[in-house]
Amino acid sequence: MLWTMTVMAVMVFIALYFVKAGYGMFRTKAWGWSINNKVAWVMMEAPVFFVMTWMWVSQGATLAMPAFLALLLFQLHYFQRSFVFPLLMKGNSQMPVVIMLMGITFNVANGFLLGKGLFCFPPSCFNEGTAFFLRPQSLFGIAIFFLGMGINLHSDNVIRHLRKPGDTNHYLPAEGLYRYVTSANYFGELVEWIGFALFTTIPAAWVFVIWTAANLIPRAAAIHKRYREEFGNALGKRKRIIPFIY
Protein backbone atom coordinates (compact mmCIF):
# COMPACT_ATOMS: atom_id res chain seq x y z
CA MET A 1 0.00 0.00 0.00
CA LEU A 2 2.90 2.36 0.73
CA TRP A 3 4.37 1.70 -2.71
CA THR A 4 0.96 2.26 -4.31
CA MET A 5 0.56 5.55 -2.47
CA THR A 6 4.04 6.63 -3.59
CA VAL A 7 3.30 5.91 -7.25
CA MET A 8 -0.01 7.74 -6.96
CA ALA A 9 1.76 10.74 -5.42
CA VAL A 10 4.11 10.97 -8.40
CA MET A 11 1.13 10.85 -10.75
CA VAL A 12 -0.66 13.56 -8.77
CA PHE A 13 2.49 15.71 -8.76
CA ILE A 14 2.65 15.60 -12.57
CA ALA A 15 -1.11 16.05 -13.06
CA LEU A 16 -1.31 19.14 -10.85
CA TYR A 17 1.07 20.99 -13.15
CA PHE A 18 -1.60 20.66 -15.84
CA VAL A 19 -4.84 20.74 -13.82
CA LYS A 20 -5.24 23.24 -10.97
CA ALA A 21 -7.05 21.79 -7.95
CA GLY A 22 -10.28 23.78 -7.89
CA TYR A 23 -10.34 25.28 -4.42
CA GLY A 24 -9.38 28.70 -3.14
CA MET A 25 -8.48 31.16 -5.89
CA PHE A 26 -8.72 28.40 -8.50
CA ARG A 27 -12.29 27.29 -7.79
CA THR A 28 -14.51 27.25 -10.88
CA LYS A 29 -18.01 25.96 -11.61
CA ALA A 30 -16.43 23.19 -13.67
CA TRP A 31 -15.61 21.40 -10.40
CA GLY A 32 -19.31 20.95 -9.68
CA TRP A 33 -21.35 21.37 -6.52
CA SER A 34 -19.62 23.35 -3.76
CA ILE A 35 -20.36 23.82 -0.07
CA ASN A 36 -19.29 26.31 2.58
CA ASN A 37 -15.49 26.35 2.87
CA LYS A 38 -15.47 26.16 6.68
CA VAL A 39 -17.75 23.12 6.74
CA ALA A 40 -15.76 21.46 3.96
CA TRP A 41 -12.45 21.94 5.81
CA VAL A 42 -13.81 20.34 8.98
CA MET A 43 -15.29 17.42 7.07
CA MET A 44 -12.10 16.95 5.05
CA GLU A 45 -9.52 17.17 7.84
CA ALA A 46 -11.32 15.81 10.91
CA PRO A 47 -11.50 12.16 9.74
CA VAL A 48 -7.74 11.66 10.04
CA PHE A 49 -7.82 12.99 13.61
CA PHE A 50 -10.38 10.33 14.54
CA VAL A 51 -8.72 7.59 12.48
CA MET A 52 -5.42 8.13 14.32
CA THR A 53 -7.25 8.13 17.66
CA TRP A 54 -8.96 4.86 16.73
CA MET A 55 -5.69 3.28 15.57
CA TRP A 56 -4.08 4.22 18.90
CA VAL A 57 -7.00 2.94 21.01
CA SER A 58 -7.31 -0.29 19.01
CA GLN A 59 -3.66 -1.10 19.77
CA GLY A 60 -4.09 -0.68 23.51
CA ALA A 61 -3.89 3.13 23.89
CA THR A 62 -0.27 2.82 24.92
CA LEU A 63 1.52 5.75 26.52
CA ALA A 64 4.90 4.29 25.63
CA MET A 65 7.40 6.67 24.14
CA PRO A 66 8.21 7.67 21.47
CA ALA A 67 5.07 6.41 19.67
CA PHE A 68 2.79 8.34 22.01
CA LEU A 69 4.67 11.61 21.44
CA ALA A 70 4.47 11.06 17.69
CA LEU A 71 0.71 10.67 18.09
CA LEU A 72 0.51 13.91 20.08
CA LEU A 73 2.49 15.83 17.45
CA PHE A 74 0.28 14.54 14.67
CA GLN A 75 -2.93 15.23 16.57
CA LEU A 76 -1.74 18.70 17.55
CA HIS A 77 -1.47 19.62 13.87
CA TYR A 78 -4.77 18.08 12.87
CA PHE A 79 -6.72 19.42 15.83
CA GLN A 80 -5.67 22.91 14.75
CA ARG A 81 -6.32 22.16 11.08
CA SER A 82 -9.69 20.48 11.69
CA PHE A 83 -11.29 22.51 14.46
CA VAL A 84 -9.41 25.81 14.83
CA PHE A 85 -8.28 26.79 11.32
CA PRO A 86 -11.82 26.65 9.81
CA LEU A 87 -13.22 28.88 12.58
CA LEU A 88 -10.58 31.51 11.82
CA MET A 89 -11.47 31.64 8.13
CA LYS A 90 -12.95 34.88 6.87
CA GLY A 91 -15.44 35.40 4.07
CA ASN A 92 -17.99 33.05 2.57
CA SER A 93 -15.91 31.12 0.04
CA GLN A 94 -16.83 27.59 -1.00
CA MET A 95 -15.08 24.32 -1.77
CA PRO A 96 -16.13 21.79 -4.42
CA VAL A 97 -17.50 18.61 -2.86
CA VAL A 98 -15.30 16.49 -5.14
CA ILE A 99 -12.18 18.18 -3.70
CA MET A 100 -13.45 17.56 -0.17
CA LEU A 101 -14.12 13.87 -0.93
CA MET A 102 -10.65 13.40 -2.40
CA GLY A 103 -9.18 15.00 0.72
CA ILE A 104 -11.19 12.71 2.98
CA THR A 105 -10.05 9.63 1.05
CA PHE A 106 -6.40 10.57 1.31
CA ASN A 107 -6.60 11.56 4.97
CA VAL A 108 -8.25 8.28 5.99
CA ALA A 109 -5.67 6.24 4.07
CA ASN A 110 -2.83 8.33 5.48
CA GLY A 111 -4.09 8.00 9.04
CA PHE A 112 -4.39 4.23 8.63
CA LEU A 113 -0.84 3.88 7.27
CA LEU A 114 0.71 6.15 9.89
CA GLY A 115 -1.21 4.39 12.65
CA LYS A 116 0.05 1.03 11.44
CA GLY A 117 3.60 2.36 11.29
CA LEU A 118 3.49 3.83 14.78
CA PHE A 119 1.48 1.25 16.72
CA CYS A 120 1.51 -2.06 14.80
CA PHE A 121 4.90 -2.18 13.10
CA PRO A 122 7.08 0.37 14.94
CA PRO A 123 10.79 0.58 14.06
CA SER A 124 13.25 -1.17 16.34
CA CYS A 125 14.60 2.17 17.61
CA PHE A 126 11.25 2.75 19.34
CA ASN A 127 12.25 0.00 21.79
CA GLU A 128 14.89 2.34 23.22
CA GLY A 129 12.15 4.17 25.13
CA THR A 130 13.17 7.53 26.51
CA ALA A 131 16.75 6.97 25.27
CA PHE A 132 15.30 7.44 21.79
CA PHE A 133 15.09 11.17 22.54
CA LEU A 134 18.85 11.42 23.03
CA ARG A 135 19.41 10.60 19.36
CA PRO A 136 20.39 13.72 17.35
CA GLN A 137 17.91 12.76 14.63
CA SER A 138 15.07 12.65 17.15
CA LEU A 139 15.87 16.05 18.61
CA PHE A 140 16.40 17.56 15.17
CA GLY A 141 13.13 16.09 13.92
CA ILE A 142 11.12 17.57 16.79
CA ALA A 143 12.79 20.96 16.31
CA ILE A 144 12.08 20.92 12.56
CA PHE A 145 8.47 19.90 13.20
CA PHE A 146 7.81 22.87 15.47
CA LEU A 147 9.73 25.23 13.20
CA GLY A 148 7.52 24.19 10.30
CA MET A 149 4.38 24.48 12.40
CA GLY A 150 5.37 27.97 13.49
CA ILE A 151 5.98 29.05 9.90
CA ASN A 152 2.68 27.53 8.80
CA LEU A 153 0.62 29.17 11.56
CA HIS A 154 2.26 32.57 11.11
CA SER A 155 1.84 32.45 7.35
CA ASP A 156 -1.84 31.51 7.64
CA ASN A 157 -2.31 34.45 9.99
CA VAL A 158 -0.69 36.81 7.49
CA ILE A 159 -3.07 35.66 4.74
CA ARG A 160 -6.13 36.01 6.97
CA HIS A 161 -5.37 39.67 7.62
CA LEU A 162 -4.77 40.70 4.01
CA ARG A 163 -8.43 41.57 3.46
CA LYS A 164 -10.90 43.76 5.29
CA PRO A 165 -14.45 42.45 5.86
CA GLY A 166 -16.34 42.23 2.58
CA ASP A 167 -13.23 42.59 0.44
CA THR A 168 -12.74 39.87 -2.20
CA ASN A 169 -9.66 41.25 -3.96
CA HIS A 170 -6.33 39.44 -4.04
CA TYR A 171 -3.33 40.95 -2.28
CA LEU A 172 0.34 40.05 -2.29
CA PRO A 173 1.43 38.88 1.19
CA ALA A 174 4.75 40.41 2.20
CA GLU A 175 5.38 39.55 5.86
CA GLY A 176 7.53 36.79 7.31
CA LEU A 177 8.71 34.23 4.78
CA TYR A 178 6.36 35.75 2.21
CA ARG A 179 9.23 38.11 1.52
CA TYR A 180 11.03 35.14 -0.03
CA VAL A 181 8.29 32.83 -1.37
CA THR A 182 4.69 33.26 -2.47
CA SER A 183 3.50 30.14 -0.59
CA ALA A 184 5.16 30.41 2.81
CA ASN A 185 2.29 28.52 4.43
CA TYR A 186 2.95 25.54 2.18
CA PHE A 187 6.66 25.71 2.88
CA GLY A 188 5.94 25.58 6.62
CA GLU A 189 3.70 22.54 6.25
CA LEU A 190 6.28 20.71 4.15
CA VAL A 191 9.00 21.44 6.72
CA GLU A 192 6.67 20.31 9.50
CA TRP A 193 6.10 16.86 8.02
CA ILE A 194 9.77 16.41 7.14
CA GLY A 195 10.47 16.96 10.83
CA PHE A 196 7.79 14.42 11.74
CA ALA A 197 9.34 11.86 9.39
CA LEU A 198 12.83 12.47 10.77
CA PHE A 199 11.53 11.97 14.29
CA THR A 200 9.42 8.86 13.71
CA THR A 201 11.67 7.24 11.04
CA ILE A 202 8.69 5.18 9.78
CA PRO A 203 8.24 4.69 6.00
CA ALA A 204 4.62 5.89 6.14
CA ALA A 205 5.77 9.28 7.39
CA TRP A 206 8.12 9.66 4.42
CA VAL A 207 5.31 8.68 2.04
CA PHE A 208 3.29 11.45 3.69
CA VAL A 209 6.13 13.89 2.96
CA ILE A 210 6.10 12.78 -0.68
CA TRP A 211 2.33 13.33 -0.87
CA THR A 212 2.62 16.72 0.81
CA ALA A 213 5.23 17.78 -1.73
CA ALA A 214 3.20 16.32 -4.61
CA ASN A 215 0.17 18.40 -3.63
CA LEU A 216 1.77 21.63 -2.49
CA ILE A 217 4.68 22.21 -4.87
CA PRO A 218 2.56 22.30 -8.07
CA ARG A 219 -0.07 24.43 -6.34
CA ALA A 220 2.63 26.84 -5.14
CA ALA A 221 3.81 27.09 -8.75
CA ALA A 222 0.26 27.88 -9.90
CA ILE A 223 -0.15 30.53 -7.20
CA HIS A 224 3.20 32.08 -8.12
CA LYS A 225 2.12 32.27 -11.77
CA ARG A 226 -1.20 33.89 -10.82
CA TYR A 227 0.58 36.44 -8.62
CA ARG A 228 3.03 37.18 -11.43
CA GLU A 229 0.09 37.88 -13.73
CA GLU A 230 -1.65 40.09 -11.17
CA PHE A 231 1.24 41.92 -9.52
CA GLY A 232 4.00 41.79 -12.13
CA ASN A 233 7.32 43.20 -10.99
CA ALA A 234 6.02 43.68 -7.44
CA LEU A 235 6.68 39.98 -6.98
CA GLY A 236 10.41 40.73 -7.12
CA LYS A 237 12.70 37.74 -6.70
CA ARG A 238 10.29 35.70 -4.61
CA LYS A 239 10.42 31.97 -5.27
CA ARG A 240 7.41 29.66 -5.27
CA ILE A 241 7.74 27.56 -2.12
CA ILE A 242 11.39 26.94 -1.16
CA PRO A 243 13.29 30.15 -0.34
CA PHE A 244 16.11 30.97 -2.80
CA ILE A 245 15.64 27.64 -4.61
CA TYR A 246 12.18 27.09 -6.16
Side-chain angles (χ1 to χ4, degrees):
M1 191 170 177
L2 287 172
W3 279 112
T4 300
M5 290 283 284
T6 301
V7 172
M8 290 176 63
V10 174
M11 295 171 63
V12 166
F13 176 77
I14 296 171
L16 288 179
Y17 272 100
F18 298 94
V19 180
K20 300 179 182 68
Y23 64 95
M25 67 171 65
F26 299 114
R27 186 180 74 87
T28 65
K29 293 182 179 180
W31 284 88
W33 180 42
S34 298
I35 63 174
N36 180 273
N37 204 33
K38 297 178 182 179
V39 174
W41 269 102
V42 173
M43 294 180 67
M44 182 171 65
E45 302 287 9
V48 72
F49 182 87
F50 295 114
V51 167
M52 281 293 282
T53 301
W54 175 76
M55 293 293 290
W56 174 62
V57 171
S58 67
Q59 296 301 314
T62 177
L63 301 181
M65 295 294 182
F68 183 62
L69 178 58
L71 172 71
L72 293 180
L73 295 177
F74 186 87
Q75 298 293 65
L76 176 63
H77 172 92
Y78 274 101
F79 181 85
Q80 193 278 336
R81 186 59 66 179
S82 303
F83 308 113
V84 179
F85 176 76
L87 295 178
L88 297 175
M89 287 179 171
K90 297 181 179 180
N92 297 305
S93 58
Q94 295 189 320
M95 179 187 294
V97 171
V98 65
I99 295 290
M100 181 191 73
L101 293 176
M102 286 190 290
I104 291 172
T105 301
F106 169 76
N107 281 330
V108 170
N110 188 47
F112 173 79
L113 290 172
L114 287 170
K116 283 288 187 180
L118 290 174
F119 308 120
C120 300
F121 306 106
S124 59
C125 57
F126 274 27
N127 296 327
E128 299 173 11
T130 54
F132 176 87
F133 297 100
L134 300 178
R135 301 165 70 247
Q137 181 175 330
S138 302
L139 297 174
F140 184 65
I142 293 175
I144 292 297
F145 177 87
F146 281 109
L147 173 64
M149 176 177 282
I151 293 171
N152 181 251
L153 294 177
H154 176 264
S155 301
D156 282 344
N157 185 63
V158 170
I159 293 177
R160 276 194 297 270
H161 291 86
L162 285 176
R163 296 173 177 170
K164 295 180 180 180
D167 189 357
T168 58
N169 293 319
H170 291 156
Y171 297 93
L172 181 64
E175 296 181 27
L177 281 182
Y178 283 112
R179 291 173 291 180
Y180 306 101
V181 294
T182 49
S183 293
N185 52 338
Y186 293 163
F187 174 69
E189 188 164 350
L190 183 57
V191 168
E192 188 176 352
W193 294 123
I194 289 174
F196 184 80
L198 287 170
F199 172 69
T200 62
T201 73
I202 60 174
W206 286 109
V207 172
F208 187 21
V209 170
I210 293 171
W211 262 97
T212 301
N215 276 287
L216 299 187
I217 291 177
R219 186 167 181 84
I223 291 172
H224 188 273
K225 182 179 179 181
R226 173 67 67 87
Y227 280 169
R228 182 68 70 184
E229 294 170 351
E230 292 189 22
F231 303 110
N233 293 333
L235 210 62
K237 296 182 179 180
R238 289 179 178 88
K239 298 296 184 180
R240 296 165 182 81
I241 184 172
I242 304 174
F244 311 111
I245 298 175
Y246 180 79

